[in-house]
Structures are given as structure tokens and as C-alpha cells.
Amino acid sequence: MNPETLIIENENALTDLAARIAPLLKKGDVLTLHGDLGAGKTTFARALIRVLARKDDEEVPSPTFTLVQVYDFETFSVYHFDLYRLEEKENDILELGWDDARREGVCLVEWPERLGTLLPRDRLDIIINFHNNKEGMREIILHPYGAWENRLS
Ligand SMILES: Nc1ncnc2c1ncn2[C@@H]1O[C@H](COP(=O)(O)OP(=O)(O)OP(=O)(O)O)[C@@H](O)[C@H]1O
Ligand SMILES: [Mg+2]
């Protein structure tokens, strides 16, 4: 499947996108979140976790300092990683509980460039770009790989 591009006008639109993706998720999934500083990676992860929690005000702090935050749901846990500070050191990523996360959870990964060889083939890349220099506008590209190609239709 080719990548799908969406232009959104504001942050609320992320909730619609999250609501579309949430029902597709199952244990073992990896969603990578690409985009410049402040593009909206954490904001998307927060929207998705809130949809899964069925709670608009679920607290979802950025994992900037903790590097990973874990949320337990009925059928899986969500591991929200922010690898910005790791400079592609696989051992550091493994120490954060990467293997457990892959087995038990759905991984949301900010700065997935750092994953190196840990980047799985089956995944959904979500790329968030600033758009038209307009405050709330973003271009969002959904790029499915491997098994994800049949799941996004
Ligand atoms: N359409 C939009 N989508 C996402 N965020 C938006 C949008 N419009 C405005 N924003 C704002 O842009 C900021 C995005 O910050 P966020 O922390 O999500 O970025 P990030 O990509 O995770 O950055 P970092 O690389 O520092 O982790 C927030 O302040 C959010 O309110
Ligand atoms: Mg972030």
C-alpha cells in the first residue's frame, strides 16, 4: 500500500486519526512517530492513549525524561518511548524494556531513527510535518510496512 497523506487543521483532528487507528491495534504492534521537534509526536501518542483509555483527560506526560511511559489496558499495554536522548545505543533501548514491550505491548516510538537494527519490518510509520507555516496545521503521512499494509485500508 502506498503511504496515505492527510492534511489536518488542528490538534483535535489527531483524535479522529487516533480513533481510526486504535481499533486496529494488537499486542506486538509498533507505531513509529517521525517529525521535527514540536511537530506533534507526543500529542498524537496522547490522543491515541486517551482513545484507548476512553478518557479525555487521562494523564499522558511526555517521556522526554523517563524515556518510556507504560499504560496498561485490557488486552495489551502501551509502551510510549521517546528515544531522543539515546543516540542510537541499542543496549540502552533494551535496558528500557524493549523486549518486554515487543512481547506484551503496543510500542509508540518517538525518534525511531535511534532504533537501528531493532526497527521491526512490520510497522506503521506516522510522519508529522509542519504545514504551510500555519499554527495548527500539519501534514500527516501514514506509511504501513509489512503486515500493516493490509490493515490500514
Ligand atoms: N495539529 C496539531 N497536531 C499536533 N500538535 C499540535 C497541532 N497544532 C498545534 N500543536 C501543538 O504543537 C505542540 C506539539 O508538541 P509535542 O510535544 O507533541 O511535539 P513532539 O513532536 O512530541 O516534540 P519532541 O520532539 O520535542 O518530543 C503542542 O504544543 C501542540 O499543542
Ligand atoms: Mg515528544
Side-chain angles (χ1 to χ4, degrees), residues 17-99:
L17 180 60
R20 182 178 149 208
I21 292 174
L24 307 176
L25 296 177
K26 55 186 173 54
K27 202 179 272 195
D29 283 345
V30 174
L31 268 52
T32 71
L33 296 166
H34 293 259
D36 288 340
L37 285 170
K41 301 177 293 296
T42 299
T43 304
F44 175 77
R46 183 174 294 126
L48 185 63
I49 289 162
R50 285 178 173 168
V51 168
L52 291 168
R54 296 196 189 85
K55 200 161 168 261
D56 294 344
D57 60 352
E58 174 79 3
E59 203 171 321
V60 183
S62 172
T64 312
F65 298 106
T66 55
L67 307 189
V68 60
Q69 296 284 142
V70 185
Y71 303 84
D72 294 325
F73 298 110
E74 262 165 49
T75 50
F76 52 75
S77 298
V78 168
Y79 289 72
H80 177 194
F81 292 91
D82 183 340
L83 305 180
Y84 187 67
R85 286 144 51 95
L86 285 188
E87 298 166 16
E88 205 183 315
K89 292 194 194 110
E90 271 176 28
N91 270 343
D92 291 354
I93 299 173
L94 292 172
E95 271 171 29
L96 288 177
W98 180 252
D99 289 338

